[in-house]
């Protein structure tokens, strides 16, 4: 289709304006993070004050919080991916008594908001002494991720080439071998996307870690940032540096693998 | 709910998600062969975690919502009184009303912007599209807490917004954006617009890329201008994407918690409190656990209704 030069110019202008609006807050916070924290700092160094990150890391205890976040994320990603692949295989490759009803039960979980489960979870997990542990933060998120992951892997396995499964079965491969050695290697792009989405949702989750660690023993990175904000009302420089630290792992991952993220979010949304 | 995926509600969409209706006997027997107990075994670990940490708590939320309970002492059964409060308690009514305002900012506004933006960009074939897609989608991957911290600084009394207003001589417009009874909710809402516009745009661009070029050519031959083509070809062709975009963003608006928690804590007064914040506040700050559970159940029901409703609409056009 032909586009006039004027229209083309307009398109570029609009593109640039929206890119700037999308980037402005990101640039703002980076700028703040690199500004001098005190007048003494301003005199001391060059224009960019990288030492703010080290200070925020230390004063905001981000090494501890990022460590917690990483632990939670590893538990959630590993368990959720494993269980989702298995459940997705069950729904995708077999038809069994109750499969349809059970699938709807899993589907329900995609729609249940965290707000609905977090209140009873807190009181019940406290009763069994699990609050303030990694498990209280991770397992509810495993459950939520399994709901989505099962849905995601099921549609992938349904689309998988049936003749491959047949051939492997004829060669005497058991169900586990068919799944892990035949189907999963082929499904790698789908699994990678699932891992990335699960990691992102877990890393950014706020409500569950906030509620599940009532005495603040176990703070994840986003929570640490919220706490940091409460403490340093005046020093916005270190707060901005902390915000950058919390966002950085996701942003770096996104920039490298953005196709997976965008594709995953869009496919997950429009599938069916 | 992870990511807020617009999935078909149970029983609403037989196409695609449920085993497609008429399957040949050979296909069916092939599927069944070698099944036995194996599928249940593969299902078990996921199902156990899912049942214990999601299904059971969901049931418990409904149970707790029928009680007057402070989380410590013995609970008293009050029937549907907590639900009656959702309708009669002005604080709760306000919270749900605020959620409606947020839906405008999270959902309606980004859809309007996204439709125009995506239409321009799909038609245009300009260079740098990959960069643009990456950039506008970026807010989706940044933790809401970080987004909130960044915007708090922008909205601060000596923040970038007021500085910019002063720089262009609009001093009269400067204000404490997060401390104003009427303007704080729109200010917070606009953060939602900033977050969801990219998602909506990219989603709509994917849909528009599938519209055959001949449709546009035919329309141009018929003498339709850009506005006319947009309204009678582009928009109707992406109805499915519009439906998905609305579901995702409406649900995101309804469950905004971290944004409110970090930017305003529901204030000033209760001018920016929302249902999900009320769930948290009632359960863990005020010791009104039953009431919190009732709000949570109503919120869940609302999200279900939106999903079902939107899927009904999506189904009708097929």
């Amino acid at each position: 289709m032909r586009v006039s030069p004027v229209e083309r110019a307009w398109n570029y202008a609009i593109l640039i304006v929206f890119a700037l609006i999308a980037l402005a807050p990101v640039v703002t916070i980076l700028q703040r993070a690199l500004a001098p924290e005190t007048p003494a700092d301003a005199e001391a160094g060059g224009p960019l004050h990288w030492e703010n990150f080290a200070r925020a890391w230390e004063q905001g205890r981000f090494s501890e919080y990022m460590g917690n976040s990483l632990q939670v994320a590893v538990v959630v990603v590993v368990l959720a991916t494993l269980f989702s692949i298995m459940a997705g295989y069950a729904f995708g490759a077999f038809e069994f008594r109750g499969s349809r009803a059970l699938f709807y039960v899993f589907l329900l979980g995609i729609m249940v908001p965290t707000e609905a489960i977090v209140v009873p979870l807190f009181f019940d997990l406290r009763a069994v002494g699990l609050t303030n542990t990694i498990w209280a933060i991770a397992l509810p998120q495993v459950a939520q991720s399994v709901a989505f992951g099962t849905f995601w892997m099921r549609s992938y396995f349904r689309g998988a080439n049936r003749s491959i499964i047949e051939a492997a079965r004829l060669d005497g491969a058991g169900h586990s071998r068919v799944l892990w050695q035949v189907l999963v290697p082929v499904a790698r792009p789908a699994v990678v996307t699932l891992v990335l989405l699960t990691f992102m949702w877990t890393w950014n989750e706020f409500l569950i870690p906030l509620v599940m660690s009532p005495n603040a023993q176990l703070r994840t990175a986003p929570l640490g940032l919220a706490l940091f904000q409460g403490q340093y009302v005046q020093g916005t420089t270190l707060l901005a540096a902390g915000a950058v630290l919390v966002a950085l792992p996701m942003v770096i991952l996104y920039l490298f693998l953005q196709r997976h993220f965008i594709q995953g979010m869009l496919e997950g949304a429009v599938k069916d | 709910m992870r990511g807020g995926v617009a999935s078909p509600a149970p029983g609403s969409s037989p196409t695609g998600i449920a085993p497609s209706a008429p399957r040949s006997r050979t296909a069916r027997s092939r599927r069944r062969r070698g099944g036995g107990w194996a599928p249940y075994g593969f299902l078990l670990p996921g199902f156990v975690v899912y049942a214990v940490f999601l299904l059971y708590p969901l049931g418990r939320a409904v149970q707790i919502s029928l009680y007057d309970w402070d989380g410590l002492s013995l609970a008293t059964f009050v029937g549907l009184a907590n639900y009656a409060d959702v309708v009669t308690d002005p604080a709760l009514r306000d919270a749900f009303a605020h959620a409606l305002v947020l839906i405008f900012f999270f959902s309606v506004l980004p859809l309007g912007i996204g439709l125009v933006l995506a239409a321009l960009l799909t038609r245009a074939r300009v260079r740098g599209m990959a960069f643009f897609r990456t950039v506008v989608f970026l807010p989706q991957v940044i933790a809401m807490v970080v987004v909130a911290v960044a915007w708090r600084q922008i909205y601060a009394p000596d923040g970038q917004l007021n500085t910019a207003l002063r720089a262009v001589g609009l001093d009269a417009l400067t204000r404490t954006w997060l401390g104003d009874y009427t303007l704080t909710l729109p200010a917070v809402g606009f953060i939602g617009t900033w977050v969801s516009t990219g998602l909506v745009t990219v989603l709509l661009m994917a849909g528009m890329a599938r519209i055959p070029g001949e449709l546009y050519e035919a329309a141009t031959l018929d003498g339709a201008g850009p506005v006319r083509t947009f309204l009678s070809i582009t928009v109707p062709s992406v109805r499915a994407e519009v439906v998905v975009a609305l579901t995702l963003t409406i649900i995101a608006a309804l469950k905004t918690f971290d944004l409110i928690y970090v930017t305003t804590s529901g204030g000033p007064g209760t001018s920016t409190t929302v249902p999900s914040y009320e769930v948290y506040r009632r359960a863990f700050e005020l010791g009104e656990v039953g009431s919190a559970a009732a709000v949570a159940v109503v919120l869940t029901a609302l999200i279900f209704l939106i999903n079902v409703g939107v899927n009904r609409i999506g189904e009708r056009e097929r």
Side-chain angles (χ1 to χ4, degrees):
Chain A
M1 136 188 25
R2 220 172 294 129
V3 177
S4 72
V6 180
E7 198 184 328
R8 185 178 297 264
W10 268 109
N11 282 324
Y12 276 114
I14 292 165
L15 217 71
I16 290 166
V17 167
F18 273 88
L20 285 179
I21 292 175
L23 279 178
V26 179
V27 173
T28 300
I29 201 126
L30 265 176
Q31 207 181 19
R32 261 295 148 92
L34 290 167
E37 194 203 348
T38 60
D41 288 342
E43 278 170 38
L48 301 178
H49 295 262
W50 298 99
E51 73 273 7
N52 293 337
F53 290 110
R55 276 185 206 163
W57 181 264
E58 196 134 312
Q59 290 183 30
R61 294 165 62 191
F62 280 107
S63 60
E64 183 191 326
Y65 301 147
M66 301 271 243
N68 291 338
S69 271
L70 200 63
Q71 274 185 59
V72 172
V74 167
V75 172
V76 174
V77 167
V78 169
L79 290 183
T81 308
L82 189 70
F83 296 166
S84 299
I85 289 175
M86 289 169 68
Y89 176 60
F91 285 122
F94 303 99
E95 205 159 289
F96 49 95
R97 195 180 285 274
S99 61
R100 191 197 268 239
L102 271 172
F103 179 65
Y104 281 141
V105 169
F106 268 88
L107 211 52
L108 184 91
I110 302 181
M111 285 175 268
V112 172
T114 311
E115 286 82 352
I117 56 169
V118 79
V119 172
L121 266 174
F122 169 73
F123 290 102
D124 287 341
L125 290 179
R126 190 182 62 177
V128 296
L130 269 179
T131 43
N132 290 312
T133 67
I134 286 280
W135 302 106
I137 300 173
L139 289 175
Q141 297 191 74
V142 174
Q144 291 180 310
S145 300
V146 161
F148 172 77
T150 301
F151 175 66
W152 178 260
M153 290 315 302
R154 169 190 179 268
S155 25
Y156 191 86
F157 288 137
R158 280 178 79 89
N161 194 341
R162 225 145 261 297
S163 54
I164 303 179
I165 306 180
E166 297 278 291
R169 295 287 297 148
L170 284 177
D171 286 347
H175 294 300
S176 289
R177 280 199 56 183
V178 169
L179 176 59
W180 298 111
Q181 291 179 12
V182 179
L183 287 176
V184 169
V186 185
R188 221 171 65 186
V191 175
V192 169
T193 304
L194 178 63
V195 165
L196 288 177
L197 292 179
T198 309
F199 181 75
M200 176 175 91
W201 289 328
T202 310
W203 186 269
N204 293 348
E205 174 63 38
F206 187 76
L207 185 55
I208 289 179
L210 171 70
V211 169
M212 289 306 166
S213 185
N215 56 9
Q217 268 175 26
L218 256 176
R219 288 196 177 270
T220 56
L223 229 35
L225 182 63
L227 180 81
F228 201 42
Q229 161 159 294
Q231 286 173 343
Y232 295 83
V233 199
Q234 72 290 45
T236 54
T237 310
L238 291 193
L239 179 62
V244 172
L245 290 174
V246 173
L248 207 59
M250 270 329 302
V251 171
I252 290 176
L253 215 56
Y254 170 70
L255 292 181
F256 276 109
L257 302 164
Q258 34 98 7
R259 294 189 104 170
H260 278 283
F261 281 97
I262 294 180
Q263 205 182 315
M265 302 254 317
L266 298 190
E267 260 178 41
V270 288
K271 200 159 258 176
D272 295 300
Chain B
M1 177 175 52
R2 313 231 91 178
V5 169
S7 57
S12 75
S13 167
T15 44
I17 55 128
S20 40
R23 189 184 290 112
S24 73
R25 199 185 303 149
T26 47
R28 178 172 288 177
S29 61
R30 195 192 300 158
R31 288 197 142 218
R32 221 176 249 164
R33 191 194 301 165
W37 290 101
Y40 298 102
F42 282 105
L43 215 52
L44 193 67
F47 187 75
V48 168
V49 177
Y50 175 71
V52 173
F53 290 92
L54 204 147
L55 282 185
Y56 176 72
L58 184 62
R60 284 276 286 153
V62 175
Q63 187 196 6
I64 292 173
S65 72
L66 302 174
Y67 285 82
D68 183 13
W69 188 37
D70 59 7
L72 300 164
S73 56
L74 224 54
T76 354
F77 184 80
V78 293
L80 295 176
N82 288 326
Y83 289 94
D85 278 354
V86 174
V87 187
T88 52
D89 183 340
L92 285 178
R93 264 207 323 241
D94 280 358
F96 278 95
H98 296 154
L100 289 182
V101 175
L102 289 188
I103 286 177
F104 172 78
F105 283 100
F106 274 68
S107 196
V108 180
L109 203 55
L111 183 67
I113 301 171
L115 274 171
V116 175
L117 201 57
L120 288 171
L121 296 177
T122 325
R123 255 173 72 77
R125 306 264 152 78
V126 283
R127 260 189 278 170
M129 198 60 83
F131 170 77
F132 177 75
R133 262 168 64 121
T134 308
V135 165
V136 294
F137 202 78
L138 185 66
Q140 288 290 326
V141 303
I142 299 178
M144 205 43 139
V145 180
V146 176
V147 169
V149 165
W151 278 92
R152 255 185 78 110
Q153 302 203 0
I154 292 173
Y155 283 143
D158 58 346
Q160 284 82 349
L161 182 57
N162 282 340
T163 311
L165 286 173
R166 277 187 210 105
V168 293
L170 292 172
D171 298 57
L173 290 180
T174 60
R175 60 203 64 219
T176 320
W177 296 97
L178 296 180
D180 184 307
Y181 276 85
T182 45
L183 278 176
T184 301
L185 189 59
V188 171
F190 184 76
I191 305 176
T193 312
W194 179 77
V195 172
S196 31
T197 300
L199 171 74
V200 173
T201 306
V202 174
L203 192 59
L204 292 171
M205 277 167 71
M208 288 181 193
R210 279 197 296 271
I211 305 174
E214 298 92 74
L215 272 182
Y216 287 108
E217 276 161 32
T220 319
L221 284 177
D222 287 347
V227 176
R228 194 62 223 263
T229 8
F230 173 72
L231 289 178
S232 41
I233 295 181
T234 314
V235 175
S237 308
V238 292
R239 263 183 66 180
E241 280 77 13
V242 168
V243 161
V244 170
L246 281 180
T247 324
L248 290 178
T249 49
I250 289 175
I251 291 171
L254 283 177
K255 50 195 289 296
T256 307
F257 174 78
D258 22 15
L259 183 60
I260 297 290
Y261 183 91
V262 175
T263 51
T264 67
S265 306
T270 55
S271 60
T272 60
T273 185
V274 290
S276 57
Y277 190 75
E278 283 299 316
V279 172
Y280 174 78
R281 200 170 70 99
R282 278 164 196 257
F284 304 110
E285 283 173 5
L286 302 180
E288 298 170 12
V289 184
S291 169
V295 176
V297 171
V298 171
L299 188 65
T300 311
L302 215 57
I303 288 176
F304 266 71
L305 286 178
I306 289 169
N307 259 306
V308 172
V310 155
N311 269 280
R312 282 277 147 79
I313 298 167
E315 213 174 294
R316 206 177 296 153
E317 44 176 316
R318 280 184 187 158

